[in-house]
Amino acid sequence: MDVTIPDIGDAQDVEVIEICVGPGDAVAENDALIVIESDKASMEVPAPFTGTVDAVLVTLGDLVNAGDPILRMDAVEDEQSAEAVVPPDAADGSIALPDTPPVVDAPSTARERIEIRVPDIGEAENVSVIEVAVAEGQQVGVDDLLVVVESEKASMEIPTPFAGTVVEVAVKEGDGVEESTLLVVLEGEVEGPRSSAAPEAEGASATTVATVPVQPVPPEESTTGTGSKVYAGPAVRRLARELGVDLVAVNGSGARGRIVKDDVKAFVKQSLGTGATPGIAPMEAVDFSRFGDIETVPLSRIRARGAANLHRSWQHVVHVTQHDDIDVTDLEAFRAALKEEAASREVKLTPLPFIVMACVHALRTHPQFNASLDPTVTSLILKRYHHIGFAVDTEDGLVVPVVRDAGSKGIYELAREIARLSDAARSKKLKPEEMQGGSFTISSLGAVGGTGFTPIVNAPEVAILGVARLDTRPVWDGSAFQPRKILPVSLSYDHRAINGAEAGRFVVELGRLLGDVRRLVL
């Protein structure tokens, strides 16, 4: 007889996450055959009658719906055979859950130490301790939770078999375990049956190995070490551990407050928006006055806002930096030749206007650098305008004014606009609109120093160019070393939007343009 998926309501294409039996296994009525999981809940599909598994018709990861056949069974007709059926060990990595206590014999009232060990878990792999609910010296009652272990497919709670005292906790959260691994040692007065390994004399104290009956953690509910209730299935718990999320802090949107995967993802997004980092403890407050005299200086409003923006960008952007050296000897010669003309126009002609113009040309050739990722990270928003931001060092911190429509301006016009915005920034007269709408940013150290650095992308932009100090270096021309003007550049980019080859081509194009300024008019 074929066993099929029962009515599962409105759920469709639910995933097979566990197969509990194999061909030839004997099962009793209501024994778990497979476990399926939708976005909202997990459920076991039980055996409709006692019998033997003839064939399993599904595999892990299959998507099934109500009425789909999952396995074929032969029924056991006689009652005696039915009573002899025992649940099989899992053979697919799930945890087989024993439902009967170990064989015990003669009664005793001795005070015993009992070792609680991991029970038979079949062929499960990667089983780990996800919760330790007790500590040494703690008093526990019958069926109080001791430890929760979990494989890739299921979780199970290990309770206390009697009231007593915890004398040893042999594992900690995250430890990998296997069958017979020591978990906890308990001591207490044990009445009634006890393990045959214990001494028969009353009042004796001995250590006994016991495998206690365990219970699977329902997909809806388990407890945490703090005693708080958490409603979540194994798949959700695994995702939370991978993301470093404490489920106690997550609000569940499922039935009875059950936590689903979307709740964990939403919690991570909210944490990123507030500057918190899931899984990373906040910096510890240190009283530095213990070590000597100190002075506390509040950050300026600009520095504080900049720090928050940089932190957010660092968390959201997948940063990669491409470094290169550009030979700008000819550019510098051309700029020196224009010195008198620039002075007559009352313009200070620095390298920055040329760099801005070269960036605009390169952005036209490589439009993915003049873009932003949409919030879902599924689309790239290409910008048809070229508003170039540039970092200005002020007494209150760095600010980034924006040269709007930089591609429509000539060198002298760019130089005037850069000078005007820089003066406005240093005199605190920048307007809000003059710091908005940038599509690409340049951070130049000018003559400050350094041979290179790693700028942080000014999100939601996807790239930023760092320019270090211009330097004269000897360069081999094939027959002799020649003095050349070398400009170190560092292109940081969001690897989600731009790959390394694209970044390399962008920097090469920038080098060609700055190496021969005549190309800027082509």
Side-chain angles (χ1 to χ4, degrees):
M1 182 181 297
D2 285 348
V3 179
T4 60
I5 297 292
D7 182 11
I8 51 177
D10 295 331
Q12 293 184 343
D13 293 333
V14 295
E15 183 180 0
V16 177
I17 64 169
E18 181 180 354
I19 298 176
C20 305
V21 295
D25 287 344
V27 295
E29 184 177 357
N30 293 325
D31 281 352
L33 300 176
I34 69 169
V35 180
I36 56 177
E37 185 177 69
S38 70
D39 289 338
K40 300 298 182 183
S42 302
M43 65 175 288
E44 295 180 347
V45 177
F49 50 82
T50 297
T52 303
V53 177
D54 180 59
V56 178
L57 307 179
V58 293
T59 59
L60 289 177
D62 282 357
L63 301 179
V64 294
N65 292 283
D68 288 349
I70 57 172
L71 55 80
R72 188 170 296 114
M73 286 181 57
D74 293 326
V76 174
E77 297 181 357
D78 101 25
E79 185 176 348
Q80 182 176 358
S81 298
E83 292 176 353
V85 170
V86 294
D89 287 339
D92 65 328
S94 63
I95 296 179
L97 302 176
D99 54 24
T100 57
V103 177
V104 296
D105 52 20
S108 171
T109 58
R111 185 171 183 82
E112 292 189 54
R113 285 195 175 190
I114 292 189
E115 296 178 349
I116 309 299
R117 296 180 177 270
V118 176
D120 179 11
I121 52 176
E123 297 180 8
E125 297 179 353
N126 300 322
V127 180
S128 60
V129 176
I130 64 170
E131 182 183 335
V132 178
V134 294
E136 292 182 7
Q138 181 176 333
Q139 298 292 319
V140 292
V142 177
D143 292 331
D144 281 355
L145 178 64
L146 295 176
V147 175
V148 181
V149 297
E150 183 178 74
S151 74
E152 294 180 352
K153 299 299 180 181
S155 304
M156 70 179 193
E157 296 179 345
I158 298 179
T160 60
F162 59 86
T165 304
V166 178
V167 296
E168 181 184 351
V169 178
V171 292
K172 60 182 182 299
E173 289 187 11
D175 282 356
V177 295
E178 56 186 15
E179 184 178 342
S180 299
T181 297
L182 177 64
L183 299 172
V184 176
V185 178
L186 299 176
E187 183 177 77
E189 296 291 340
V190 184
E191 297 182 359
R194 76 173 192 269
S195 169
S196 57
E200 296 182 359
E202 292 190 7
S205 179
T207 299
T208 303
V209 177
T211 303
V212 299
V214 298
Q215 295 296 328
V217 179
E220 298 86 4
E221 177 179 351
S222 71
T223 57
T224 67
T226 61
S228 303
K229 290 288 185 180
V230 171
Y231 298 84
V236 173
R237 292 176 180 276
R238 183 165 58 253
L239 175 64
R241 288 198 303 276
E242 291 171 353
L243 297 177
V245 173
D246 182 359
L247 287 176
V248 175
V250 179
N251 294 321
S253 62
R256 295 195 301 125
R258 182 176 183 269
I259 299 172
V260 298
K261 290 182 179 179
D262 286 344
D263 298 328
V264 177
K265 295 175 182 177
F267 178 82
V268 172
K269 290 181 180 179
Q270 181 182 9
S271 298
L272 290 173
T274 58
T277 304
I280 300 179
M283 293 290 292
E284 180 182 356
V286 178
D287 181 10
F288 297 104
S289 63
R290 294 185 295 122
F291 313 114
D293 292 339
I294 64 171
E295 178 185 3
T296 301
V297 181
L299 291 176
S300 67
R301 184 172 59 87
I302 291 176
R303 286 184 184 273
R305 181 183 299 172
N309 290 339
L310 290 173
H311 186 225
R312 183 170 60 251
S313 292
W314 187 251
Q315 288 181 315
H316 283 274
V317 174
V318 182
H319 280 81
V320 180
T321 303
Q322 174 92 13
H323 302 279
D324 205 350
D325 292 332
I326 297 177
D327 188 334
V328 293
T329 305
D330 294 342
L331 168 61
E332 283 300 282
F334 179 61
R335 190 168 68 90
L338 294 175
K339 186 175 182 179
E340 290 186 5
E341 180 180 334
S344 67
R345 295 171 178 258
E346 298 183 345
V347 174
K348 183 179 180 180
L349 200 56
T350 68
L352 185 55
F354 294 94
I355 296 171
V356 170
M357 182 173 286
C359 284
V360 171
H361 278 66
L363 292 171
R364 286 172 175 160
T365 307
H366 306 278
Q368 67 270 39
F369 288 81
N370 197 60
S372 291
L373 283 166
D374 80 329
T376 64
V377 196
T378 58
S379 301
L380 195 62
I381 303 169
L382 300 177
K383 301 165 186 176
R384 302 306 182 190
Y385 53 86
H386 299 93
H387 301 336
I388 308 300
F390 64 99
V392 178
D393 185 24
T394 73
E395 292 182 354
D396 293 330
L398 286 177
V399 295
V400 183
V402 176
V403 179
R404 306 187 76 80
D405 298 315
S408 64
K409 296 176 170 62
I411 288 296
Y412 287 123
E413 191 175 0
L414 284 173
R416 289 193 185 93
E417 184 68 357
I418 289 170
R420 182 188 73 79
L421 291 170
S422 298
D423 290 341
R426 295 187 180 101
S427 60
K428 303 180 183 179
K429 295 180 180 179
L430 273 178
K431 300 175 183 178
E433 59 269 23
E434 292 176 326
M435 295 184 288
Q436 298 174 351
S439 59
F440 185 85
T441 298
I442 300 170
S443 179
S444 175
L445 293 179
V448 173
T451 58
F453 63 101
T454 304
I456 297 177
V457 175
N458 188 21
E461 297 168 21
V462 295
I464 181 173
L465 182 71
V467 181
R469 181 183 59 195
L470 181 67
D471 193 16
T472 301
R473 303 180 194 172
V475 177
W476 183 256
D477 67 359
S479 59
F481 284 101
Q482 301 294 338
R484 306 296 292 181
K485 298 288 187 180
I486 303 299
L487 186 68
V489 297
S490 303
L491 177 73
S492 289
Y493 55 93
D494 189 338
H495 207 355
R496 299 174 301 171
I498 298 165
N499 62 43
E502 292 169 334
R505 286 190 286 268
F506 183 92
V507 173
V508 168
E509 175 71 9
L510 198 62
R512 291 176 62 251
L513 294 167
L514 291 174
D516 185 355
V517 292
R518 295 173 298 180
R519 294 182 179 277
L520 294 176
V521 301
L522 296 179

